[in-house]
Amino acid sequence: MTESSRFSLSVEFFPPKTPEGVEKLRLVRQQLYALKPEFCSVTFGAGGSTQEGTFNTVRDILNEGVSAASHFSCIGASRNSVREQLATLKAMGVKRLVALRGDLPSGYGSGGEFQYASDLVAFIRAETGDHFHIEVAAYPEMHPQARSPDSDLQAFATKVRAGANSAITQYFYNPDAYFRFLQDADALGVRVPVVPGIMPILGSTQLLRFSDACGAEIPRWIRLRLQAFGDDSASIKAFGLDVVTNLCEQLRAGGAPGLHFYSMNQSAATLEICRRLGLAVFLQ
Ligand code: FAD
């Protein structure tokens, strides 16, 4: 086995909203399959808002002969609705889930029979035994609603003890946060693979806005450079490729078990980063 084949790559998509988006994503997937991803995952809008699009995209990936993971969020959901959705996913041949609490859009109220992702993980295990490989979310820079880094780490440990097999992180640009998170989890006896989530830098406005909302820190030097590029998208992309490739190199050298790319339904940046990392020799 070669070094690169032990290092797992996975790619995340969101369900397209239009028929054109569906077709475009089909093409993007074919390009990204050149990376031989261990699995491709599809996000799931909280409150079930994208359920049909998520399940259709998952079905398409499976039909293309690639392992697919459905994200699955529980906020606002009842046990019965989750039970039904799990049965649907099982019947479709899905074997991997990314189990999440999710965030309800404002105006949805709260309610629902699950409070935390750990409740969902425990429910999936109770209902379906070992059928699913369960991934959970991890936050090296702390989830924005957590009381403290320590309580967030305890929450992560609870998800793993409830039955999660592995984890994917929120994206970050500071590798020290990831390595420290691994050390802290290890000290709690939590030793599942934690794969870094990688967000290629495709533009600046959306990244800066989105990062504020999800609690991912854009280091000052990166933020300032991005702002200085203004709307020079070619420079932003070139800078982004350098920064993210360098981040991935550090993560790989430090022992990360793989990389999970937030593709944003685009292929070019993910392919180029993997080519530069030497993880896609066939692309050179
Ligand atoms: P939890 O693990 O339940 O944590 C939520 C908060 O509660 C944290 O602050 C935690 O510290 C706290 N907490 C947990 N348990 C306890 C406890 N027992 N006592 C006190 N506090 C506790 N969102 C979507 O809507 N759809 C997606 O497809 C999606 N995919 C994602 C994929 C990845 C890899 C990641 C990292 C995030 C994704 N998200 C998605 C975003 C995610 O839903 C949000 O970050 C959400 O706010 C938290 O979800 P969670 O599963 O991490 O929640």
Side-chain angles (χ1 to χ4, degrees):
M1 191 184 273
T2 65
E3 182 61 26
S4 60
S5 67
R6 275 200 302 270
F7 187 74
S8 86
L9 292 178
S10 50
V11 183
E12 181 170 314
F13 303 112
F14 57 84
K17 292 202 180 97
T18 62
E20 298 75 47
V22 170
E23 280 319 304
K24 187 185 156 239
L25 181 58
R26 216 179 283 288
L27 194 67
V28 163
R29 282 199 305 269
Q30 290 305 327
Q31 291 160 342
L32 287 167
Y33 290 164
L35 298 174
K36 308 225 175 323
E38 190 182 333
F39 66 91
C40 291
S41 77
V42 186
T43 62
F44 185 94
S49 54
T50 67
Q51 186 194 312
E52 194 186 339
T54 300
F55 288 11
N56 285 343
T57 310
V58 166
R59 200 176 282 113
D60 286 346
I61 294 169
L62 291 171
N63 287 339
E64 289 158 353
V66 173
S67 171
S70 183
H71 292 216
F72 198 106
S73 69
C74 62
I75 197 160
S78 67
R79 285 190 189 82
N80 271 343
S81 67
V82 169
R83 192 174 285 123
E84 278 170 23
Q85 289 167 336
L86 289 174
T88 304
L89 288 165
K90 224 173 143 177
M92 283 163 56
V94 174
K95 300 243 174 64
R96 191 185 280 255
L97 300 175
V98 183
L100 303 145
R101 185 197 68 177
D103 295 304
L104 277 185
S106 56
Y108 257 76
S110 54
E113 295 180 330
F114 298 85
Q115 193 174 5
Y116 298 118
S118 54
D119 303 330
L120 177 63
V121 174
F123 185 78
I124 297 170
R125 283 287 174 244
E127 292 284 317
T128 63
D130 285 336
H131 178 81
F132 293 106
H133 177 112
I134 304 178
E135 306 270 359
V136 288
Y139 300 87
E141 295 178 339
M142 197 181 96
H143 183 265
Q145 292 156 10
R147 282 193 304 267
S148 67
D150 189 50
S151 79
D152 205 31
L153 195 71
Q154 294 290 347
F156 175 65
T158 305
K159 291 194 274 200
V160 174
R161 290 184 187 127
N165 303 94
S166 47
I168 301 169
T169 74
Q170 182 58 278
Y171 67 89
F172 56 87
Y173 295 102
N174 178 355
D176 288 347
Y178 170 77
F179 291 120
R180 179 65 202 222
F181 182 88
L182 292 190
Q183 274 174 22
D184 290 348
D186 186 74
L188 286 181
V190 179
R191 297 191 181 114
V192 295
V194 179
V195 175
I198 304 298
M199 180 70 86
I201 297 177
L202 304 170
S204 104
T205 317
Q206 204 194 1
L207 181 73
L208 296 174
R209 195 175 339 111
F210 189 57
S211 302
D212 281 345
C214 71
E217 189 191 53
I218 308 292
R220 181 179 146 84
W221 69 275
I222 297 181
R223 184 181 285 268
L224 290 176
R225 293 289 289 269
L226 289 176
Q227 284 165 345
F229 287 130
D231 51 15
D232 176 359
S233 62
S235 296
I236 292 172
K237 281 185 184 151
F239 172 71
L241 285 172
D242 288 347
V243 167
V244 177
T245 304
N246 185 266
L247 169 70
C248 294
E249 271 164 359
Q250 292 183 59
L251 293 169
R252 192 169 181 221
L259 300 171
H260 178 82
F261 282 91
Y262 294 111
S263 77
M264 305 305 285
N265 289 7
Q266 299 186 39
S267 60
T270 299
L271 288 172
E272 176 59 13
I273 292 164
C274 290
R275 191 191 66 76
R276 291 185 185 190
L277 290 170
L279 292 170
V281 275
F282 38 86
L283 292 171
Q284 283 169 346

